[in-house]
């Protein structure tokens, strides 16, 4: 599996990593969810080179995760905003943040807490079944091939070691 061909792999995770699978892209997305929209602010907050930042933003634009929106007419200046597709990455980012809060924090705890606007309580992501609402973990799931897939492309579902 070659990094530059990930978006062609018969694996949703590999295809997703083709878009968001590097540290700079994830940090750019984090900042987007924190309200950052302008190139110079990303650059300053992240300490990233202009070249790398421009490359990552271009990729996020090309995949429709971000879109440009003008905030000034003369001269034209644009900011980066999360598209609907980009907003749907919130649960992914929140899951990574929650894992980091639990396993990578120091004695001070989480640097930022996420609070539900409606009830005012701190939230932690939970994966649940959309049919019955039961909370689930990796141990509660079985894997099956998607309707339009077969194993002709190789072992999509390798046998688990037990």
């Amino acid at each position: 599996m070659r990094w530059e061909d990930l978006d062609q792999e018969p694996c949703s995770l590999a295809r997703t990593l083709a878009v968001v699978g590097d540290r700079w892209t994830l940090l750019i997305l984090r900042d987007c969810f924190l309200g950052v929209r302008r190139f110079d602010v990303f650059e300053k907050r992240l300490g990233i080179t202009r070249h790398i930042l421009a490359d990552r933003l271009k990729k996020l634009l090309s995949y429709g995760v971000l879109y440009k929106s003008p905030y000034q007419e003369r001269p034209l200046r644009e900011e980066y905003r999360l598209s609907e597709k980009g907003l749907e990455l919130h649960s992914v980012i929140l899951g990574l943040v929650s894992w980091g809060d639990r396993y990578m924090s120091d004695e001070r705890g989480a640097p930022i807490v996420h609070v539900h606007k409606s009830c005012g309580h701190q939230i932690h992501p939970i994966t649940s079944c959309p049919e019955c609402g039961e909370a689930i973990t990796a141990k509660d799931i079985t894997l099956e091939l998607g309707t339009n897939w077969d194993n002709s492309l190789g072992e999509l579902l390798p046998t688990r070691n037990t």
Side-chain angles (χ1 to χ4, degrees):
M1 189 177 312
R2 294 172 32 151
W3 185 255
E4 59 270 8
D5 298 330
L6 281 181
D7 63 346
Q8 302 302 312
E9 287 293 319
C11 169
S12 295
L13 180 59
R15 291 177 180 185
T16 301
L17 289 174
V19 181
V20 300
D22 74 82
R23 62 185 177 209
W24 290 120
T25 301
L26 288 171
L27 291 173
I28 290 166
L29 288 169
R30 175 207 60 192
D31 279 5
C32 286
F33 284 109
L34 291 173
V36 176
R37 295 184 177 142
R38 297 188 181 167
F39 188 96
D40 57 327
V41 180
F42 285 117
E43 182 182 25
K44 182 178 180 184
R45 284 177 53 92
L46 297 172
I48 188 173
T49 66
R50 295 180 68 79
H51 172 74
I52 292 173
L53 178 57
D55 179 66
R56 297 316 188 274
L57 289 170
K58 182 179 176 183
K59 181 188 268 187
L60 291 168
L61 289 166
S62 72
Y63 279 101
V65 174
L66 298 178
Y67 67 93
K68 287 183 179 181
S69 178
Y71 68 88
Q72 179 179 309
E73 293 297 322
R74 294 180 193 258
L76 177 63
R77 295 195 186 268
E78 298 174 308
E79 60 188 12
Y80 298 89
R81 294 194 167 243
L82 289 159
S83 65
E84 193 64 35
K85 190 186 231 183
L87 289 169
E88 288 197 25
L89 285 167
H90 186 257
S91 60
V92 174
I93 300 297
L94 189 56
L96 288 170
V97 168
S98 182
W99 185 89
D101 289 347
R102 183 169 182 178
Y103 295 108
M104 303 303 292
S105 290
D106 59 22
E107 65 281 350
R108 295 172 292 179
I112 297 172
V113 295
H114 296 83
V115 179
H116 185 212
K117 286 181 183 180
S118 295
C119 72
H121 288 91
Q122 185 176 344
I123 63 109
H124 302 281
I126 298 171
T127 302
S128 62
C129 174
E131 294 299 318
C132 70
E134 184 178 318
I136 55 176
T137 69
K139 294 178 182 179
D140 302 316
I141 296 173
T142 186
L143 304 175
E144 299 175 0
L145 283 175
T147 307
N148 297 314
W149 290 89
D150 61 34
N151 259 355
S152 64
L153 296 173
E155 290 297 318
L156 293 178
L157 291 176
T159 305
R160 285 189 178 192
N161 294 333
T162 54

